[in-house]
Amino acid sequence: MTARGWFLFSLMGVVWGIPYLLIKVAVDAPLSPSMVVFTRCALGAALLLPFAIRQGGLPATVRTHWRPMLAFACIEIIGPWWTLTDAERHLSSSTAGLLIAGVPIVGVALARFFGETERLGVRRVVGLGLGLAGVGVLTVPHLTGGDARSLAEVLLTVIGYATAPLIAARYLKAVPTLQLIAPCLALAALVYAPAAAMTWPSEMPSPSVLAALATLGVVCTAVAFVAFLELIKEAGPTRATVFTYVNPAVAVAAGAIFLSEPLTAAIVAAFTLILAGSVLATASVRGAATTRPVLANPGRGAATRPVLGHAGWRGRAQRLRRGPEPRPDRPDRDEARAR
């Protein structure tokens, strides 16, 4: 990936590594899952909508792309955020983090159904395996109980998180980031507003709970979604989700730094596996053909042509050394050119 891609990747590893802790704080308050999701979406929409409107053309964008935007909102936000929040009433945050780390694996499998033709290669497959092994080493010792319903809810969240980037990359690539996220968050807030009103807390939550909700809405929603969609455009939908391997590591690192939790040899080994797996899983495949725009005819837009790999350039050089191929319809001209 590029330097910009690595910056976005690192940012996502942090800002989506802390929601598990923040959600746990909120549901243990206790606040209802609908209340948590509504507050998070409402804050994010309130921050991003003014910028999306200022860009201009928001109504036209929604009218043109409303179907994939609706699918993205349901599969990325409306469904998964509620199922994850409800599951964390019974599961530990480390358990949720471990299960969510399976998003890249599911994304690789689902990519074939969306026509993704990028070759994974041995290096990226090994990277995915190393990352998953690192998450297992990191979180398995901290696994606690949970019922079958909660585990199923997290599984649904994983499927949603793996599918939504593919929708964004295939159908919404031309939509500006703010004009995609702001309406989706506003829709999610409207969907959960009635349930949030019915479960509104009878007294003001504590300052720590309010701080957790504010951080969820501002940092983990508004800032994170903008960075996430830019990362999809930069690295592709499959590589973009590999940051979920880093999220559980961020939680453990924060505990060691701020809460003086022990940093064991197993944790160090897990960090090594996760970082190595992330580097390998996000690497580009050598020799793969890509496309770049070239001016086919001035005034008639751009066409695409393949960027040749090493073998392609060698073949082209050999053809140039041999000279042009004779054409049956112009033998005299080809003979004169040979002289």
Side-chain angles (χ1 to χ4, degrees):
M1 288 194 298
T2 63
R4 181 173 181 270
W6 277 113
F7 170 75
L8 293 171
F9 182 88
S10 303
L11 179 63
M12 290 307 305
V14 175
V15 298
W16 271 356
I18 58 177
Y20 306 107
L21 171 63
L22 301 175
I23 291 172
K24 192 69 175 175
V25 170
V27 296
D28 284 349
L31 297 178
S32 70
S34 298
M35 180 66 187
V36 175
V37 176
F38 166 77
T39 306
R40 181 178 183 181
C41 293
L43 283 174
L47 287 172
L48 297 181
L49 264 178
F51 296 99
I53 295 172
R54 187 176 180 181
Q55 285 182 341
L58 179 59
T61 299
V62 174
R63 284 196 303 269
T64 304
H65 303 280
W66 71 269
R67 288 184 179 86
M69 289 177 69
L70 177 62
F72 181 85
C74 293
I75 295 173
E76 174 71 22
I77 302 172
I78 296 175
W81 284 9
W82 190 91
T83 54
L84 177 62
T85 304
D86 187 63
E88 285 208 44
R89 295 190 301 157
H90 307 287
L91 296 176
S92 67
S93 58
S94 59
T95 302
L98 171 63
L99 297 174
I100 296 298
V103 168
I105 303 296
V106 177
V108 169
L110 291 176
R112 304 307 173 191
F113 293 97
F114 283 80
E116 179 68 41
T117 58
E118 182 181 7
R119 184 167 59 89
L120 289 178
V122 175
R123 180 168 58 178
R124 288 184 59 190
V125 172
V126 171
L128 290 169
L130 284 176
L132 188 60
V135 171
V137 171
L138 180 65
T139 57
V140 165
H142 304 285
L143 291 179
T144 57
D147 55 18
R149 174 186 167 178
S150 298
L151 294 174
E153 286 176 330
V154 179
L155 177 60
L156 290 175
T157 304
V158 168
I159 295 173
Y161 282 174
T163 306
L166 299 171
I167 295 175
R170 186 179 179 99
Y171 301 105
L172 298 168
K173 197 170 185 178
V175 178
T177 299
L178 291 176
Q179 295 190 4
L180 170 59
I181 291 303
C184 290
L185 289 174
L187 175 62
L190 289 175
V191 169
Y192 284 105
M198 289 188 295
T199 58
W200 201 270
S202 56
E203 58 184 26
M204 181 67 68
S206 66
S208 61
V209 175
L210 293 176
L213 292 175
T215 305
L216 273 173
V218 176
V219 178
C220 303
T221 301
V223 174
F225 257 129
V226 173
F228 181 44
L229 289 181
E230 291 301 314
L231 179 60
I232 292 175
K233 295 176 182 178
E234 187 75 22
T238 304
R239 285 198 293 268
T241 57
V242 178
F243 68 81
T244 53
Y245 283 149
V246 184
N247 296 158
V250 170
V252 172
I257 295 173
F258 299 106
L259 301 177
S260 302
E261 293 178 352
L263 189 64
T264 64
I267 292 175
V268 173
F271 267 112
T272 304
L273 289 171
I274 290 171
L275 292 177
S278 297
V279 171
L280 292 174
T282 54
S284 299
V285 179
R286 290 184 177 180
T290 58
T291 60
R292 65 183 178 194
V294 295
L295 193 59
N297 193 354
R300 293 194 179 183
T304 57
R305 71 181 180 196
V307 179
L308 300 178
H310 296 296
W313 284 115
R314 285 198 299 268
R316 184 175 181 180
Q318 291 172 359
R319 288 194 298 272
L320 289 174
R321 285 196 296 269
R322 288 198 304 265
E325 296 290 338
R327 294 180 54 173
D329 58 332
R330 295 189 298 184
D332 296 336
R333 185 178 298 180
D334 290 330
E335 184 178 355
R337 184 181 299 173
R339 293 198 187 112

